[in-house]
Amino acid sequence: MPNYKDHITLSDLNGAGRLAIVAVKGITGIVEELHNTIVRGPGLGTLTKGPIQGITWLVYRTINGVTTLVGGGIDAVLSKLARLLDKEEPASFGREAVISAANGVLGDYLAATKNPLAIPMCFRRNGVRLELNRRHLADAIPNPGGKVLVMIHGLCMNDLQWSRNGHDHGMALSRDLGYTPIYLHYNSGRHISENGRQFADMMASLTAAWPVAIDEITIIGHSMGGLVARSAFYYGTNAGHNWPKLLKHLVCPGSPHHGAPMERGGNWLNIILGITPYTRPFVRLGNIRSAGITDLRYGNIIDEDWKGQDRFFPPYDHRKPVPLPAGVQCYAMGATTGKKTRDIQSILIGDGLVLLDSAMGRHRDPAMCLAFPDANTWIGYEMNHMDLLSRPDVYEKIREWLGPGYQRHF
């Protein structure tokens, strides 16, 4: 992996400052509401209306007022300086990891407020953005071939993190099977369907600008990345794009096709906190989490799965069945910290983030089940979610599936 130098730009400071302002004001509001509730002494389930008055009211208003005034000044100054002084620099691994995590948790908010920390979707190689025109791609990619491999990272991650423990599935497949890998970089806190639609459009631009004729496209989507790929195929097909016809393989290591239990558990905790006015103010903290995270409650991949719904309540599955991409070899990879499929760890923990049934596309409703052929599924034992990025046995299975001698199954 390239040796990236950590650096912080003025745009980073601008964005972080704005987030700090929002955080201070938000926490102040929570404390004020809790104080208000305690002072008035409501009974269980009673709503507290109206702010407290006097000195206490003045304290809270002063905190919020000063935060707004100081923050506004910092925001204005840094925005102007950033435009003048920021320079394009190679990606820093540490900086990008922090920003990617912030986008995963707050990415929809960052995008809506045009915060400089919001990640714009693009294709990259070695952390460098690729412009979608033929001349730039020919210059930026050594010996581009007709077998295009697109790597899509998961929630709170970025394209640089495909490199783990000295291994990168994309570069290894380039070496062993002649693929040309490119890496999607995106804001994982946005709705999966929004990212899917934009990714579909970018794939149309990429295939039109690719320097040589494309024979086939393969996508590997880790975790949320697999859902973004399925969403993109849906929207790209509906839009009449040509690239879905070139897609031959879709590999989904650790993708929560039917959601992740941690998000469902977190949502139930939010509901429980809302029962009593003494804990209700803390619901705001749970409601900070991004649209991308709440999409992972059940695995939403199209707009109809979430539009018109309160994404924090009620916690029911409103998804429309979306089958696997037709005519595409689709592969599901799951992992478990347990030693066998049905031991207690595999059933209750899975890989630590995604349960095996979700990764394998299995669902109690037959209409929602994803038809991965048995030969196109694989489970890794005594490994966690991140091990799917670097374990040798994971890569060997991917290479076997994508290799020319593998017997295809539909």
Side-chain angles (χ1 to χ4, degrees):
M1 185 184 74
N3 182 23
Y4 300 105
K5 179 182 176 183
D6 287 344
H7 64 277
I8 300 295
T9 68
L10 286 170
S11 289
D12 296 340
L13 293 175
N14 179 13
R18 289 167 61 175
L19 275 180
I21 294 161
V22 172
V24 170
K25 294 182 71 176
I27 292 171
T28 300
I30 291 171
V31 173
E32 179 182 10
E33 186 175 336
L34 186 60
H35 191 168
N36 186 17
T37 300
I38 293 171
V39 168
R40 294 179 182 274
L44 185 66
T46 303
L47 290 174
T48 302
K49 297 181 179 179
I52 50 181
Q53 302 297 320
I55 296 297
T56 306
W57 176 88
L58 180 60
V59 170
Y60 289 123
R61 296 289 76 73
T62 300
I63 293 173
N64 273 322
V66 170
T67 303
T68 300
L69 289 173
V70 173
I74 293 173
D75 195 22
V77 171
L78 287 179
S79 291
K80 293 177 181 179
L81 288 175
R83 288 194 296 269
L84 292 173
L85 301 178
D86 273 356
K87 297 180 180 179
E88 191 71 27
E89 298 184 53
S92 153
F93 188 86
R95 169 182 177 267
E96 297 247 351
V98 172
I99 292 175
S100 299
N103 274 258
V105 176
L106 297 168
D108 53 343
Y109 172 81
L110 297 176
T113 57
K114 303 187 186 307
N115 190 291
L117 294 180
I119 295 172
M121 183 179 287
C122 65
F123 292 113
R124 306 204 300 185
R125 274 175 65 98
N126 298 322
V128 178
R129 181 188 180 104
L130 297 175
E131 301 298 331
L132 298 184
N133 65 74
R134 191 175 299 266
R135 176 174 294 180
H136 176 85
L137 291 174
D139 292 340
I141 302 174
N143 302 313
K147 294 170 62 176
V148 179
L149 174 63
V150 182
M151 311 289 289
I152 312 178
H153 63 76
L155 176 71
C156 291
M157 299 186 71
N158 63 73
D159 54 303
L160 302 181
Q161 290 168 311
W162 277 104
S163 180
R164 185 172 186 266
N165 297 333
H167 173 80
D168 178 332
H169 290 329
M171 298 310 296
L173 289 169
S174 173
R175 176 196 66 217
D176 295 341
L177 297 180
Y179 283 96
T180 302
I182 62 171
Y183 299 77
L184 186 70
H185 188 221
Y186 69 101
N187 176 349
S188 60
R190 297 172 66 209
H191 276 294
I192 290 171
S193 61
E194 293 174 342
N195 279 325
R197 186 184 295 103
Q198 186 178 0
F199 174 48
D201 292 341
M202 288 185 59
M203 283 295 295
S205 299
L206 177 76
T207 53
W210 197 250
V212 300
I214 295 178
D215 301 316
E216 64 177 71
I217 296 171
T218 291
I219 296 176
I220 300 180
H222 176 244
S223 195
M224 178 189 279
L227 305 189
V228 172
R230 288 178 53 214
S231 177
F233 186 90
Y234 174 88
Y235 287 112
T237 300
N238 288 350
H241 294 164
N242 186 58
W243 71 264
K245 300 174 185 175
L246 297 171
L247 183 64
K248 301 302 181 185
H249 311 281
L250 170 60
V251 184
C252 300
S255 293
H257 296 290
H258 298 303
M262 296 188 84
E263 163 53 25
R264 288 198 288 273
N267 194 59
W268 276 112
L269 178 61
N270 248 26
I271 292 170
I272 292 169
L273 287 173
I275 292 175
T276 164
Y278 290 105
T279 57
R280 192 173 299 132
F282 294 100
V283 171
R284 286 195 209 168
L285 293 177
N287 289 353
I288 289 173
R289 67 192 190 278
S290 69
I293 291 177
T294 55
D295 277 346
L296 292 181
R297 189 177 312 144
Y298 294 107
N300 297 342
I301 66 170
I302 60 175
D303 293 343
E304 289 80 1
D305 293 339
W306 58 267
K307 278 194 172 178
Q309 307 291 336
D310 182 340
R311 64 189 181 92
F312 299 109
F313 185 89
Y316 303 126
D317 189 352
H318 296 282
R319 288 180 300 155
K320 310 296 182 185
V322 178
L324 292 174
V328 178
Q329 288 286 339
C330 296
Y331 308 91
M333 307 189 81
T336 172
T337 57
K339 295 183 178 181
K340 56 185 179 180
T341 302
R342 288 299 167 187
D343 65 13
I344 191 66
Q345 284 181 266
S346 297
I347 294 172
L348 297 181
I349 299 175
D351 66 12
L353 291 176
V354 179
L355 298 183
L356 284 179
D357 280 348
S358 184
M360 297 292 105
R362 297 190 289 254
H363 197 279
R364 61 180 178 272
D365 180 356
M368 299 299 295
C369 285
L370 300 179
F372 289 102
D374 289 342
N376 290 12
T377 63
W378 182 86
I379 296 173
Y381 297 95
E382 297 184 88
M383 68 171 63
N384 61 43
H385 193 67
M386 299 304 294
D387 287 336
L388 290 164
L389 294 174
S390 59
R391 283 274 290 262
D393 45 351
V394 176
Y395 174 69
E396 288 303 320
K397 193 61 186 181
I398 295 174
R399 186 176 68 172
E400 175 190 329
W401 279 336
L402 302 184
Y406 182 70
Q407 181 65 40
R408 306 301 175 196
H409 297 269
F410 284 99

